[in-house]
Amino acid sequence: MELKDKLVASFMAFEEKINDNAELHEVRSQAIKNFETKGFPTKKEEAWKYTSLNAILKHDFSVFPKHENAIEFKDVKKYFLHDVDTYKVVFIDGKFSSFLSSTTHDGLDVCLLSSALTKPKYKMVIDTYFNQIASKEETLTTLNTAFAFEGAYINVPKSKVVEKPIEIIYFSTGNEAALMVQPRNLIIVGENAHVQIVERHQSLNSNPVLTNSVTEIFAQKRAIVDYYKVQNDVQTANLVDNTYIAQKQESRVAVHTFSFGGNMTRNNLNFYHQGERIDSTLKGITIIGDNQHVDHYTLVHHAQPNCESHQNYKCILDDKATGVFNGKIFVEKEAQKTDAFQQNNNILISEKATINAKPQLEIFADDVKCSHGCTIGQLDESAMFYMQQRGIPKKEAKALLMYAFTNEVTSSVQIPELKAKIGRIIAEKLGVNMGFDKL
């Protein structure tokens, strides 16, 4: 049975297991109908022109884990920010792990989405926020909506500054021959509140995994959100990450995406401005080789005046790796005084590596500052020669130049321990000792 048919056939059994109200039942039913009609995206669609799921969908994925699996902390410690105290929300094969989690908090509402979806005390919040900005048409997002049940629910109250970062980690044990998981996160950050969140999806062996994740983030007036995605999975893991962000007046949201591992990674990142004087930051580093594939698809929808957005994506490709950057800035007629910047720089180390870049501007306002730029090239030979003349071996010179190339993105990471961890991963990917301890 094809995966699409298996998912559609499993939907009724899934709904029988959960306690949905009538409104959620209708949301799920419409979502599965959309997926049943459209199926998985193909390269015939403009948005998926350079990314194919065909080879991935040939695996016989289990859509529900057959049993719970325990993991010892010592076996996964390296995947956490163990140099700093954090709140932890951990899932194993799609199910919450109370043993690995640490959600004791002061004034925060951190729980499971399954609790928020089923408990009456959360009904008003769910009715207000759940599935409000997630696409009703994008087929993989609607597939996730149909099966949305487990994931992180985080509600930061008004004026709360969260003292510790929050880590959301999804582990796949590999106990299934092939597994598909569909986590759903709902994050609400109140007026004047500030939170830092780190998200990671990690497989623990080489059995194929397909993760179809959806996160909705609501930043209220003057809220500050720093969100970090660390994607350094094994090369049999596949990730489709759909993130939707709504910003109110004077809020600041920054999303950093670090794509180093996995077989296929697709990042759909969508920002929607719902007030004036908003600041949105989208930054990313991609370093891949072999036959890896990473696709960044971004949208910033400027709908109000006096707002800013800044995009900066760096990509280093080796071997037969393929990178995609499709960035869109949309400026409504009402969005005067918009300041939008987009930059995508790529280095191809191998002649067989491929990059497909498509920066887009759609501007309907006349008093704006909007720019985009894209570069594709190789390392600066004159800089290499200069460094070698001063006694730096070629391998180290090459690595130093590539490390410096990524520094513009890593320098804006606001969690020192995470910045150091990312630095170690980059050094490891570049195959050189940059003075960091090993992961």
Side-chain angles (χ1 to χ4, degrees):
M1 182 185 293
E2 291 187 358
L3 182 57
K4 175 191 171 183
D5 298 329
K6 180 186 289 190
L7 287 162
V8 172
S10 302
F11 177 71
M12 187 174 296
F14 167 77
E15 277 219 309
E16 288 178 355
K17 293 180 181 178
I18 59 178
N19 183 27
D20 267 350
N21 58 41
E23 291 88 349
L24 278 176
H25 169 73
E26 181 61 26
V27 168
R28 293 187 192 281
S29 297
Q30 290 298 321
I32 198 66
K33 286 178 182 177
N34 179 79
F35 174 72
E36 186 176 11
T37 300
K38 295 183 177 179
F40 286 98
T42 69
K43 295 181 75 172
K44 293 180 181 180
E45 300 175 37
E46 184 64 27
W48 287 81
K49 183 177 180 180
Y50 302 110
T51 300
S52 173
L53 299 177
N54 290 342
I56 298 166
L57 299 179
K58 290 179 181 178
H59 294 291
D60 184 19
F61 289 106
S62 298
V63 295
F64 303 112
K66 295 181 178 65
H67 50 79
E68 294 187 19
N69 299 286
I71 298 176
E72 294 293 327
F73 179 72
K74 63 181 177 61
D75 296 327
V76 295
K77 179 181 178 182
K78 64 181 179 180
Y79 301 118
F80 291 91
L81 288 178
H82 52 271
D83 297 328
V84 61
D85 190 19
T86 63
Y87 300 116
K88 300 175 182 65
V89 188
V90 182
F91 300 85
I92 301 174
D93 290 340
K95 295 184 178 182
F96 178 68
S97 170
S98 58
F99 175 69
L100 293 179
S101 298
S102 174
T103 58
T104 303
H105 46 77
D106 178 20
L108 281 175
D109 193 355
V110 179
C111 70
L112 305 183
L113 184 64
S114 55
S115 297
L117 290 173
T118 55
K119 292 183 178 181
K121 74 173 185 176
Y122 291 105
K123 186 177 186 305
M124 184 177 295
V125 176
I126 293 300
D127 290 346
T128 303
Y129 295 105
F130 178 74
N131 204 45
Q132 294 304 305
I133 51 173
S135 174
K136 310 298 190 295
E137 299 298 327
E138 205 285 319
T139 180
L140 289 175
T141 296
T142 58
L143 173 62
N144 178 285
T145 299
F147 289 94
F149 189 66
E150 203 62 285
Y153 169 85
I154 299 171
N155 195 339
V156 184
K158 182 178 180 179
S159 300
K160 175 68 177 178
V161 177
V162 183
E163 296 180 356
K164 300 186 294 186
I166 300 173
E167 292 187 86
I168 306 173
I169 302 186
Y170 292 90
F171 289 113
S172 298
T173 62
N175 290 343
E176 306 279 347
L179 178 65
M180 180 178 185
V181 289
Q182 301 198 76
R184 181 70 169 241
N185 304 315
L186 178 59
I187 299 166
I188 304 155
V189 185
E191 289 186 25
N192 301 304
H194 183 189
V195 67
Q196 297 174 318
I197 299 174
V198 182
E199 178 187 349
R200 183 163 187 164
H201 301 264
Q202 188 65 48
S203 301
L204 301 180
N205 74 10
S206 59
N207 284 354
V209 175
L210 172 57
T211 300
N212 178 36
S213 175
V214 172
T215 300
E216 292 182 286
I217 301 173
F218 296 85
Q220 307 297 353
K221 293 180 180 179
R222 295 175 296 280
I224 301 175
V225 182
D226 289 318
Y227 207 100
Y228 303 93
K229 297 176 181 289
V230 181
Q231 300 168 346
N232 192 30
D233 215 338
V234 301
Q235 292 200 27
T236 50
N238 305 281
L239 171 65
V240 179
D241 185 277
N242 307 280
T243 301
Y244 300 89
I245 301 169
Q247 292 185 245
K248 296 293 187 181
Q249 177 182 333
E250 297 179 38
S251 62
R252 291 165 47 200
V253 177
V255 177
H256 289 69
T257 305
F258 300 101
S259 302
F260 306 123
N263 170 49
M264 187 284 300
T265 303
R266 164 78 176 216
N267 291 300
N268 297 320
L269 183 55
N270 305 272
F271 280 73
Y272 301 100
H273 289 184
Q274 299 176 351
E276 293 192 39
R277 294 178 293 282
I278 287 170
D279 190 292
S280 303
T281 299
L282 303 77
K283 292 189 176 184
I285 295 174
T286 299
I287 304 176
I288 53 175
D290 297 323
N291 290 297
Q292 291 177 278
H293 182 102
V294 173
D295 183 345
H296 293 287
Y297 191 95
T298 69
L299 167 68
V300 181
H301 190 156
H302 287 267
Q304 299 291 330
N306 303 301
C307 295
E308 298 184 15
S309 66
H310 310 273
Q311 299 185 55
N312 192 355
Y313 283 80
K314 305 279 192 176
C315 184
I316 299 174
L317 301 172
D318 201 356
D319 304 319
K320 296 181 180 179
T322 302
V324 182
F325 176 78
N326 193 331
K328 185 175 182 179
I329 297 172
F330 190 93
V331 183
E332 298 274 13
K333 183 178 180 181
E334 295 79 13
Q336 303 293 342
K337 303 293 184 181
T338 288
D339 186 353
F341 169 82
Q342 181 187 91
Q343 186 67 35
N344 171 228
N345 302 111
N346 307 278
I347 293 178
L348 303 183
I349 300 174
S350 166
E351 293 181 356
K352 295 182 179 180
T354 303
I355 180 71
N356 299 287
K358 185 182 178 184
Q360 301 177 72
L361 299 177
E362 291 192 30
I363 303 170
F364 297 94
D366 52 19
D367 186 8
V368 301
K369 289 195 296 184
C370 296
S371 63
H372 65 76
C374 176
T375 62
I376 301 171
Q378 298 177 323
L379 290 173
D380 188 339
E381 291 296 333
S382 60
M384 288 276 290
F385 178 77
Y386 178 87
M387 297 172 75
Q388 288 178 265
Q389 288 292 97
R390 278 146 185 80
I392 300 175
K394 184 176 182 179
K395 180 181 177 181
E396 282 72 17
K398 183 178 178 180
L400 283 169
L401 287 174
M402 289 189 289
Y403 194 89
F405 175 74
T406 66
N407 189 60
E408 192 176 358
V409 173
T410 57
S411 62
S412 61
V413 174
Q414 298 299 307
I415 305 173
E417 295 80 6
L418 178 62
K419 183 185 292 187
K421 191 177 188 74
I422 295 300
R424 292 194 293 269
I425 296 174
I426 291 174
E428 186 178 77
K429 291 290 291 185
L430 298 178
V432 70
N433 184 357
M434 300 291 293
F436 295 106
D437 295 326
K438 290 185 177 180
L439 280 172

